[in-house]
Amino acid sequence: MYAEDKFREIYNREPETEFCPYRVCPLGAHIDHQFGPILGFALDYGVHMAYGVKNNGIVELISMNFPKRVQFHVSSVPETKEGDWGDYLRGATKALSEKYKLTKGLCGVIRGALPSGGISSSAAVTICFMKAICKVNDIKLSDSEYIYLAKKAENEYVGVSSGKLDQSCETLC
């Protein structure tokens, strides 16, 4: 089942959709954050998200790959991570809200096309969600802003030590 089908089943309406590709890095993935040489490219596989706007500011997402529904309000993201896949969504919301006013949330279903690990699935989830939350809040980001804010979310909120290889490949490819 695809994310769009699951969304229709749960919410009984047509969704908006977003996609972010995974990336592969045959050279340099572990030296990216130390400013070493890198080589990365995007795949045709990635993260798909089917969603709809929630005017009350609530974010409510279900993953087809991981247990636990994630739910929070765009104006009250917990200060500390919770240790689940939703930390990437909360981190993206926090990074965005430091620069832009978020008033609308979204409900949705997110699905990765391949098993997580080694293909930058966390950055793909972050960017895919960030595109959707920006769209429902009428925020237009440049590619550089997507890269910067997604990296900030992972580095500062989630605690992942990374450079900008993942976010750059996934945004620019």
Side-chain angles (χ1 to χ4, degrees), residues 153-168:
E154 288 202 61
N155 291 166
E156 295 179 15
Y157 190 83
V158 181
V160 174
S161 180
S162 70
K164 59 184 180 180
L165 167 71
D166 298 349
Q167 298 83 3
S168 297

Side-chain angles (χ1 to χ4, degrees), residues 78-150:
E79 288 300 315
T80 57
K81 65 183 183 175
E82 296 185 17
D84 61 17
W85 68 274
D87 284 339
Y88 297 95
L89 314 179
R90 291 184 281 271
T93 303
K94 189 164 181 54
L96 273 169
S97 66
E98 289 173 2
K99 190 171 179 182
Y100 299 96
K101 181 158 180 67
L102 301 177
T103 59
K104 296 178 183 174
L106 54 81
C107 57
V109 178
I110 195 162
R111 178 181 180 268
L114 298 172
S116 62
I119 50 175
S120 185
S121 54
S122 60
V125 166
T126 304
I127 292 168
C128 192
F129 171 77
M130 195 176 288
K131 287 179 178 181
I133 200 74
C134 283
K135 192 178 283 183
V136 300
N137 283 281
D138 294 319
I139 297 169
K140 307 236 185 305
L141 297 182
S142 68
D143 289 342
S144 295
E145 287 177 297
Y146 275 115
I147 294 164
Y148 170 77
L149 291 172

Side-chain angles (χ1 to χ4, degrees), residues 9-10 18-19 22 28 38 41 48 50 53 63 70 94 98-99 112 125 130 156 160 171:
E9 177 184 301
I10 295 169
E18 285 298 336
F19 172 77
Y22 296 133
I38 56 172
F41 56 91
H48 293 266
V53 66
S63 169
V70 172
K94 189 164 181 54
E98 289 173 2
K99 190 171 179 182
V125 166
M130 195 176 288
E156 295 179 15
V160 174
T171 299

